[in-house]
């Protein structure tokens, strides 16, 4: 997060981006980080048939 | 202080309380279903900027308010997908929602900081009641949104404690496992409660920019989302107490303008600090007795439900 703050400031200075963009970027990055938590909890199982038998896909 | 001044003070207290009432009521319903959404500030800001943009472009404040509601609900939908479907941590997701909302609202709202709104929301004074000395200007000369927010309190109170659907919502907040075993659609109920909370926060934000201040600037709501969150704890998750709390904070906010107008020699920054200090003091007093919080909080508040 600290690096993101610094990077955001650097991006604002060098690319003339508006200040708000770094907040948007941080939010989006955090969202994807949190969303990926689902892969920690679950494993994706590719099955050839729709899982009609006892719950292979969760 | 004569009765006209008292009426003015009470009236500005109620008007200042309305955004807190709306956002707090929405968050109360969300938390009653066991979802802790800390993104109220972000949802309010998105509601405020979308509402203001809609009102500035179309010239119709009503469309602005409706768009604000939609924006708040959209932010809440993002939160709900992350925490309910993808089972992310609710506290972390709520905080990211606030960061995201502050950034996005500031970015989207840049063209609108200099624009003004053509139309304004009219007040609807109620014929006879408006002549009551202090209560008249305070409670019976409001905008339609003001009356609606009071009616919503009655409606939510009735819904939560007098209807079957409200009982289901509360049971999901207390023990989602039991509710699931009973056959209640836990996730659907939590989605609905979260979306309602977002819509109300959006309405509160849009009210703040479109009806109350008539302007947009970065971080317009200045922490009111956080105060609304604190109010829900302060009210120990009861709508009636939330209403009292919101009016109390409205009174603190209004007294700051009153003190300036009358010329009481207190520096303005100190007065602007008061609502936030009041939040800390009230929460510290309430948290002194941990049992009060524990007995009243929904038992599974902030916990992830997976079946």
């Amino acid at each position: 997060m600290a690096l993101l703050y610094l990077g955001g400031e650097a991006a604002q200075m060098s690319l003339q981006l508006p200040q708000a963009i770094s907040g948007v970027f941080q939010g989006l990055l955090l969202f994807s980080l949190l969303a990926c938590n689902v892969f920690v909890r679950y494993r994706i199982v590719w099955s050839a048939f729709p899982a009609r038998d006892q719950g292979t896909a969760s | 202080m004569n009765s006209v001044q008292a009426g003015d003070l009470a009236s500005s207290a109620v008007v200042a309380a309305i955004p807190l009432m709306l956002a707090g009521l929405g968050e109360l319903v969300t938390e009653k279903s066991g979802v802790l959404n800390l993104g109220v500030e972000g949802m309010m800001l998105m509601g405020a900027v979308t509402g203001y943009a809609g009102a500035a472009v179309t010239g119709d404040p009503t469309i602005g308010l409706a768009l604000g509601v939609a924006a708040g609900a959209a932010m809440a939908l993002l939160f709900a997908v992350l925490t309910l479907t993808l089972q992310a941590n609710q506290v972390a997701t709520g905080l990211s929602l606030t960061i995201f909302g502050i950034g996005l609202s500031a970015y989207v709202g840049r063209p609108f900081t200099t624009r003004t709104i053509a139309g304004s929301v009219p007040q609807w004074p109620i014929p006879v009641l408006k002549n009551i000395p202090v209560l008249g200007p305070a409670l019976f000369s409001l905008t339609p949104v003001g009356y609606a927010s009071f009616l919503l309190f009655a409606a939510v109170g009735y819904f939560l404690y007098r209807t079957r659907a409200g009982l289901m919502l509360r049971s999901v907040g207390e023990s989602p496992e039991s509710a699931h075993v009973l056959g209640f659609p836990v996730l659907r109920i939590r989605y609905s409660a979260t979306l309602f909370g977002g819509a109300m926060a959006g309405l509160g934000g849009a009210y703040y920019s479109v009806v109350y201040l008539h302007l947009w600037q970065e971080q317009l709501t200045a922490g009111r989302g956080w105060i609304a969150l604190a109010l829900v704890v302060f009210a120990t998750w009861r709508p009636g107490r939330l209403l009292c709390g919101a009016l109390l904070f409205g009174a603190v906010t209004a007294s700051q303008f009153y003190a300036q107008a009358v010329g009481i020699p207190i520096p303005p920054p100190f007065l602007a600090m008061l609502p936030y200090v009041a939040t800390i003091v009230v929460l510290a007093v309430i948290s002194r007795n941990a049992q009060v919080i524990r007995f009243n909080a929904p038992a599974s508040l902030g916990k992830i439900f997976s079946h």
Side-chain angles (χ1 to χ4, degrees):
Chain A
M1 284 307 291
L3 282 175
L4 266 181
Y5 273 105
L6 290 177
E9 278 176 14
Q12 283 159 32
M13 282 185 278
S14 58
L15 301 174
Q16 306 293 319
L17 288 176
Q19 195 191 353
I21 279 289
S22 70
V24 177
F25 188 67
Q26 279 170 18
L28 284 176
L29 213 63
L30 277 170
F31 284 148
S32 31
L33 179 75
L34 290 160
C36 285
N37 199 37
V38 78
F39 298 118
V40 177
R41 290 169 169 270
Y42 296 102
R43 174 174 300 153
I44 294 178
V45 178
W46 302 103
S47 59
F49 299 100
R52 220 186 313 160
D53 49 342
Q54 57 286 333
T56 43
S58 49
Chain B
M1 188 193 289
N2 59 29
S3 79
V4 175
Q5 282 177 327
D8 282 349
L9 186 60
S11 154
S12 55
V14 171
V15 169
I18 286 171
L20 292 174
M21 282 162 57
L22 290 167
L25 187 64
E27 180 63 13
L28 187 136
V29 172
T30 307
E31 292 194 10
K32 269 288 177 192
S33 80
V35 179
L36 180 63
N37 186 351
L38 292 181
V40 183
E41 178 81 5
M43 298 191 297
M44 276 185 93
L45 278 168
M46 283 307 293
V49 72
T50 317
Y52 193 79
V57 169
T58 62
D60 185 355
T62 318
I63 296 177
L65 289 172
L67 284 174
V69 170
M75 291 288 279
L77 182 66
L78 182 63
F79 177 84
V81 167
L82 283 166
T83 58
L84 300 178
T85 305
L86 299 179
Q87 302 180 359
N89 182 306
Q90 293 181 1
V91 174
T93 312
L95 292 174
S96 333
L97 194 69
T98 296
I99 297 176
F100 181 67
I102 291 174
L104 189 61
S105 62
Y107 180 62
V108 174
R110 280 188 313 148
F112 295 99
T113 44
T114 49
R115 301 248 325 234
T116 51
I117 313 179
S120 66
V121 177
Q123 291 185 337
W124 285 356
I126 298 175
V128 180
L129 296 173
K130 69 174 181 190
N131 297 325
I132 305 173
V134 177
L135 290 179
L139 295 179
F140 302 113
S141 314
L142 297 172
T143 53
V145 192
Y147 294 123
S149 53
F150 278 97
L151 290 178
L152 274 166
F153 262 88
V156 166
Y158 180 80
F159 170 77
L160 280 178
Y161 296 102
R162 292 284 181 274
T163 64
R164 187 177 152 75
L167 185 63
M168 279 164 70
L169 189 144
R170 284 188 292 142
S171 72
V172 164
E174 298 295 339
S175 172
E177 289 81 13
S178 317
H180 177 65
V181 170
L182 284 171
F184 297 164
V186 172
L187 287 188
R188 203 181 305 160
I189 291 173
R190 286 193 162 178
Y191 259 97
S192 325
T194 311
L195 285 182
F196 177 77
M200 293 290 282
L203 181 60
Y207 175 88
Y208 201 62
S209 66
V210 175
V211 183
Y212 184 43
L213 290 181
H214 308 284
L215 63 88
W216 165 254
Q217 63 187 38
E218 268 184 39
Q219 302 212 28
L220 179 80
T221 54
R224 269 173 185 72
W226 295 112
I227 292 187
L229 266 167
L231 275 175
V232 177
V233 180
F234 164 65
T236 58
W237 294 269
R238 305 285 298 209
R241 295 180 193 163
L242 180 68
L243 182 59
C244 300
L247 290 174
L248 182 74
F249 278 84
V252 173
T253 310
S255 65
Q256 124 196 8
F257 302 123
Y258 179 78
Q260 281 175 1
V262 178
I264 300 170
I266 305 173
F270 181 81
L271 291 167
M273 192 176 77
L274 277 181
Y276 306 99
V277 173
T279 313
I280 296 171
V281 169
V282 163
L283 282 181
V285 169
I286 288 202
S287 309
R288 215 158 44 102
N289 189 349
Q291 279 191 328
V292 174
I293 300 286
R294 209 181 312 138
F295 284 155
N296 289 291
S300 63
L301 181 61
K303 292 189 186 134
I304 294 163
F305 171 69
S306 58
H307 54 81

